[in-house]
Short mmCIF file of all heavy atoms in Angstrom, two decimals:
data_model
loop_
_atom_site.label_atom_id
_atom_site.label_comp_id
_atom_site.label_asym_id
_atom_site.label_seq_id
_atom_site.Cartn_x
_atom_site.Cartn_y
_atom_site.Cartn_z
N SER T 1 -18.26 -10.88 -16.73
CA SER T 1 -17.89 -10.39 -15.41
C SER T 1 -16.61 -11.15 -14.95
O SER T 1 -16.34 -12.27 -15.41
CB SER T 1 -19.07 -10.68 -14.45
OG SER T 1 -18.67 -10.30 -13.13
N GLU T 2 -15.85 -10.48 -14.08
CA GLU T 2 -14.71 -11.16 -13.45
C GLU T 2 -15.24 -11.97 -12.27
O GLU T 2 -16.02 -11.44 -11.47
CB GLU T 2 -13.66 -10.15 -12.99
CG GLU T 2 -12.40 -10.85 -12.49
CD GLU T 2 -11.34 -9.81 -12.14
OE1 GLU T 2 -11.65 -8.68 -11.74
OE2 GLU T 2 -10.12 -10.13 -12.35
N THR T 3 -14.73 -13.15 -12.05
CA THR T 3 -15.02 -13.99 -10.90
C THR T 3 -13.81 -14.28 -10.13
O THR T 3 -12.66 -13.87 -10.53
CB THR T 3 -15.74 -15.29 -11.36
OG1 THR T 3 -14.84 -16.06 -12.06
CG2 THR T 3 -16.94 -15.01 -12.23
N GLY T 4 -13.95 -15.01 -9.07
CA GLY T 4 -12.76 -15.36 -8.20
C GLY T 4 -11.76 -16.21 -8.98
O GLY T 4 -10.59 -16.18 -8.66
N ASP T 5 -12.21 -16.95 -9.98
CA ASP T 5 -11.28 -17.89 -10.69
C ASP T 5 -11.24 -17.64 -12.20
O ASP T 5 -10.99 -18.50 -12.98
CB ASP T 5 -11.68 -19.36 -10.44
CG ASP T 5 -13.13 -19.62 -10.86
OD1 ASP T 5 -13.86 -18.65 -11.23
OD2 ASP T 5 -13.57 -20.75 -10.76
N GLY T 6 -11.56 -16.39 -12.61
CA GLY T 6 -11.46 -16.03 -13.97
C GLY T 6 -12.56 -15.15 -14.43
O GLY T 6 -12.96 -14.18 -13.79
N PHE T 7 -13.18 -15.49 -15.61
CA PHE T 7 -14.25 -14.69 -16.18
C PHE T 7 -15.38 -15.58 -16.57
O PHE T 7 -15.20 -16.76 -16.91
CB PHE T 7 -13.80 -13.85 -17.38
CG PHE T 7 -12.48 -13.11 -17.15
CD1 PHE T 7 -11.29 -13.56 -17.56
CD2 PHE T 7 -12.53 -11.88 -16.51
CE1 PHE T 7 -10.10 -12.87 -17.35
CE2 PHE T 7 -11.41 -11.14 -16.29
CZ PHE T 7 -10.19 -11.63 -16.72
N ARG T 8 -16.58 -15.01 -16.57
CA ARG T 8 -17.73 -15.75 -17.04
C ARG T 8 -18.70 -14.87 -17.75
O ARG T 8 -18.88 -13.63 -17.41
CB ARG T 8 -18.45 -16.46 -15.84
CG ARG T 8 -19.15 -15.56 -14.94
CD ARG T 8 -19.76 -16.38 -13.76
NE ARG T 8 -20.49 -15.49 -12.81
CZ ARG T 8 -21.75 -15.16 -12.87
NH1 ARG T 8 -22.47 -15.61 -13.86
NH2 ARG T 8 -22.24 -14.36 -11.99
N LYS T 9 -19.40 -15.44 -18.70
CA LYS T 9 -20.47 -14.70 -19.44
C LYS T 9 -21.74 -14.79 -18.58
O LYS T 9 -22.13 -15.92 -18.23
CB LYS T 9 -20.68 -15.30 -20.83
CG LYS T 9 -21.61 -14.51 -21.65
CD LYS T 9 -22.00 -15.13 -22.92
CE LYS T 9 -22.95 -16.27 -22.71
NZ LYS T 9 -23.42 -16.86 -24.03
N ILE T 10 -22.29 -13.63 -18.31
CA ILE T 10 -23.52 -13.65 -17.40
C ILE T 10 -24.80 -13.56 -18.19
O ILE T 10 -25.86 -13.99 -17.73
CB ILE T 10 -23.41 -12.54 -16.33
CG1 ILE T 10 -23.38 -11.18 -16.95
CG2 ILE T 10 -22.19 -12.74 -15.44
CD1 ILE T 10 -23.48 -10.04 -15.95
N GLU T 11 -24.75 -12.91 -19.45
CA GLU T 11 -25.94 -12.79 -20.20
C GLU T 11 -25.62 -12.25 -21.56
O GLU T 11 -24.48 -11.83 -21.89
CB GLU T 11 -26.91 -11.89 -19.48
CG GLU T 11 -26.51 -10.45 -19.37
CD GLU T 11 -27.53 -9.57 -18.65
OE1 GLU T 11 -28.75 -9.82 -18.82
OE2 GLU T 11 -27.13 -8.61 -18.02
N GLU T 12 -26.66 -12.13 -22.38
CA GLU T 12 -26.57 -11.44 -23.70
C GLU T 12 -27.59 -10.32 -23.70
O GLU T 12 -28.71 -10.55 -23.25
CB GLU T 12 -26.74 -12.35 -24.84
CG GLU T 12 -25.60 -13.35 -25.07
CD GLU T 12 -25.63 -14.04 -26.42
OE1 GLU T 12 -26.43 -13.62 -27.27
OE2 GLU T 12 -24.82 -14.94 -26.64
N ARG T 13 -27.26 -9.16 -24.23
CA ARG T 13 -28.17 -8.09 -24.37
C ARG T 13 -28.36 -7.61 -25.84
O ARG T 13 -27.39 -7.59 -26.54
CB ARG T 13 -27.66 -6.85 -23.55
CG ARG T 13 -27.61 -7.20 -22.02
CD ARG T 13 -27.11 -5.97 -21.27
NE ARG T 13 -26.84 -6.32 -19.86
CZ ARG T 13 -26.25 -5.54 -18.98
NH1 ARG T 13 -25.90 -4.25 -19.31
NH2 ARG T 13 -26.05 -5.92 -17.76
N ASP T 14 -29.52 -7.32 -26.13
CA ASP T 14 -29.84 -6.90 -27.57
C ASP T 14 -29.29 -5.46 -27.77
O ASP T 14 -29.48 -4.57 -26.95
CB ASP T 14 -31.32 -6.90 -27.83
CG ASP T 14 -31.95 -8.31 -27.88
OD1 ASP T 14 -31.16 -9.20 -28.13
OD2 ASP T 14 -33.12 -8.48 -27.61
N ALA T 15 -28.61 -5.29 -28.90
CA ALA T 15 -28.27 -3.95 -29.35
C ALA T 15 -29.46 -3.27 -29.99
O ALA T 15 -30.34 -3.97 -30.59
CB ALA T 15 -27.08 -4.07 -30.30
N PRO T 16 -29.53 -1.95 -29.94
CA PRO T 16 -30.68 -1.27 -30.63
C PRO T 16 -30.69 -1.55 -32.11
O PRO T 16 -29.62 -1.81 -32.76
CB PRO T 16 -30.33 0.19 -30.33
CG PRO T 16 -29.51 0.20 -29.09
CD PRO T 16 -28.68 -1.02 -29.24
N GLU T 17 -31.84 -1.51 -32.72
CA GLU T 17 -31.95 -1.81 -34.08
C GLU T 17 -31.25 -0.70 -34.94
O GLU T 17 -31.13 0.45 -34.48
CB GLU T 17 -33.48 -1.75 -34.53
CG GLU T 17 -34.33 -2.84 -33.93
CD GLU T 17 -33.96 -4.21 -34.59
OE1 GLU T 17 -33.57 -4.17 -35.78
OE2 GLU T 17 -34.05 -5.25 -33.87
N PRO T 18 -30.70 -1.10 -36.08
CA PRO T 18 -30.02 -0.14 -36.93
C PRO T 18 -30.94 1.02 -37.34
O PRO T 18 -32.22 0.90 -37.36
CB PRO T 18 -29.63 -0.93 -38.14
CG PRO T 18 -29.59 -2.31 -37.71
CD PRO T 18 -30.63 -2.45 -36.62
N GLY T 19 -30.30 2.17 -37.60
CA GLY T 19 -31.16 3.36 -37.94
C GLY T 19 -31.27 4.22 -36.66
O GLY T 19 -31.04 3.77 -35.55
N GLY T 20 -31.76 5.43 -36.84
CA GLY T 20 -31.98 6.29 -35.72
C GLY T 20 -30.82 7.20 -35.34
O GLY T 20 -30.95 8.02 -34.44
N GLY T 21 -29.70 7.05 -36.08
CA GLY T 21 -28.62 7.96 -35.91
C GLY T 21 -28.08 7.93 -34.52
O GLY T 21 -27.86 6.86 -33.86
N ILE T 22 -27.78 9.08 -33.93
CA ILE T 22 -27.15 9.22 -32.72
C ILE T 22 -28.01 8.67 -31.54
O ILE T 22 -27.53 8.19 -30.49
CB ILE T 22 -26.71 10.68 -32.38
CG1 ILE T 22 -25.56 10.75 -31.40
CG2 ILE T 22 -27.97 11.45 -31.86
CD1 ILE T 22 -24.22 10.41 -32.05
N LEU T 23 -29.32 8.67 -31.73
CA LEU T 23 -30.22 8.13 -30.68
C LEU T 23 -29.96 6.63 -30.46
O LEU T 23 -30.04 6.19 -29.30
CB LEU T 23 -31.67 8.32 -31.08
CG LEU T 23 -32.72 7.81 -30.08
CD1 LEU T 23 -32.62 8.51 -28.77
CD2 LEU T 23 -34.10 7.99 -30.70
N ARG T 24 -29.60 5.87 -31.53
CA ARG T 24 -29.29 4.49 -31.34
C ARG T 24 -28.16 4.27 -30.41
O ARG T 24 -28.19 3.39 -29.52
CB ARG T 24 -28.91 3.92 -32.69
CG ARG T 24 -28.52 2.40 -32.70
CD ARG T 24 -28.04 1.99 -34.04
NE ARG T 24 -27.67 0.58 -34.01
CZ ARG T 24 -26.98 -0.04 -34.97
NH1 ARG T 24 -26.49 0.64 -35.99
NH2 ARG T 24 -26.72 -1.40 -34.89
N TRP T 25 -27.18 5.13 -30.41
CA TRP T 25 -26.00 4.89 -29.60
C TRP T 25 -26.19 5.38 -28.18
O TRP T 25 -25.61 4.89 -27.23
CB TRP T 25 -24.73 5.56 -30.25
CG TRP T 25 -24.60 5.04 -31.63
CD1 TRP T 25 -24.61 5.80 -32.81
CD2 TRP T 25 -24.43 3.71 -32.03
NE1 TRP T 25 -24.44 4.96 -33.86
CE2 TRP T 25 -24.30 3.64 -33.42
CE3 TRP T 25 -24.30 2.48 -31.33
CZ2 TRP T 25 -24.10 2.50 -34.13
CZ3 TRP T 25 -24.16 1.29 -32.04
CH2 TRP T 25 -24.05 1.25 -33.43
N LYS T 26 -27.12 6.39 -28.03
CA LYS T 26 -27.39 6.76 -26.68
C LYS T 26 -28.26 5.65 -26.02
O LYS T 26 -28.13 5.37 -24.83
CB LYS T 26 -28.27 8.07 -26.67
CG LYS T 26 -27.41 9.24 -27.10
CD LYS T 26 -28.26 10.61 -27.08
CE LYS T 26 -27.39 11.75 -27.41
NZ LYS T 26 -28.17 12.99 -27.46
N GLN T 27 -29.08 4.90 -26.77
CA GLN T 27 -29.87 3.79 -26.23
C GLN T 27 -28.88 2.71 -25.88
O GLN T 27 -29.06 2.02 -24.84
CB GLN T 27 -30.89 3.34 -27.25
CG GLN T 27 -32.01 4.32 -27.50
CD GLN T 27 -32.87 3.81 -28.70
OE1 GLN T 27 -32.55 3.09 -29.51
NE2 GLN T 27 -34.08 4.41 -28.69
N LEU T 28 -27.89 2.45 -26.67
CA LEU T 28 -26.92 1.47 -26.35
C LEU T 28 -26.09 1.83 -25.10
O LEU T 28 -25.88 0.88 -24.27
CB LEU T 28 -25.92 1.26 -27.57
CG LEU T 28 -24.83 0.23 -27.32
CD1 LEU T 28 -25.48 -1.12 -27.13
CD2 LEU T 28 -23.82 0.20 -28.46
N ALA T 29 -25.76 3.07 -24.96
CA ALA T 29 -25.03 3.47 -23.75
C ALA T 29 -25.83 3.25 -22.53
O ALA T 29 -25.36 2.78 -21.44
CB ALA T 29 -24.60 4.98 -23.86
N GLU T 30 -27.21 3.39 -22.60
CA GLU T 30 -28.06 3.14 -21.46
C GLU T 30 -28.10 1.62 -21.25
O GLU T 30 -28.08 1.17 -20.10
CB GLU T 30 -29.45 3.66 -21.78
CG GLU T 30 -30.44 3.41 -20.70
CD GLU T 30 -30.12 3.99 -19.40
OE1 GLU T 30 -29.39 4.99 -19.34
OE2 GLU T 30 -30.62 3.45 -18.33
N THR T 31 -28.16 0.85 -22.33
CA THR T 31 -28.19 -0.57 -22.15
C THR T 31 -26.91 -1.09 -21.44
O THR T 31 -26.97 -2.09 -20.73
CB THR T 31 -28.31 -1.23 -23.53
OG1 THR T 31 -29.55 -0.87 -24.15
CG2 THR T 31 -28.26 -2.80 -23.53
#
């Protein structure tokens, strides 16, 4: 995220597990 004095990491989010085809990327878009 951008802050008043630069940028900071706010968290880490898990990417969907490999496999699942296009559904994997729709899940990622929601994430």
Side-chain angles (χ1 to χ4, degrees):
S1 176
E2 185 177 33
T3 65
D5 57 355
F7 308 102
R8 69 182 179 91
K9 186 184 78 171
I10 61 171
E11 64 178 332
E12 293 195 8
R13 296 179 188 172
D14 291 336
E17 291 291 329
I22 206 75
L23 179 61
R24 178 188 182 192
W25 305 120
K26 290 181 178 179
Q27 291 172 343
L28 179 64
E30 178 61 23
T31 298

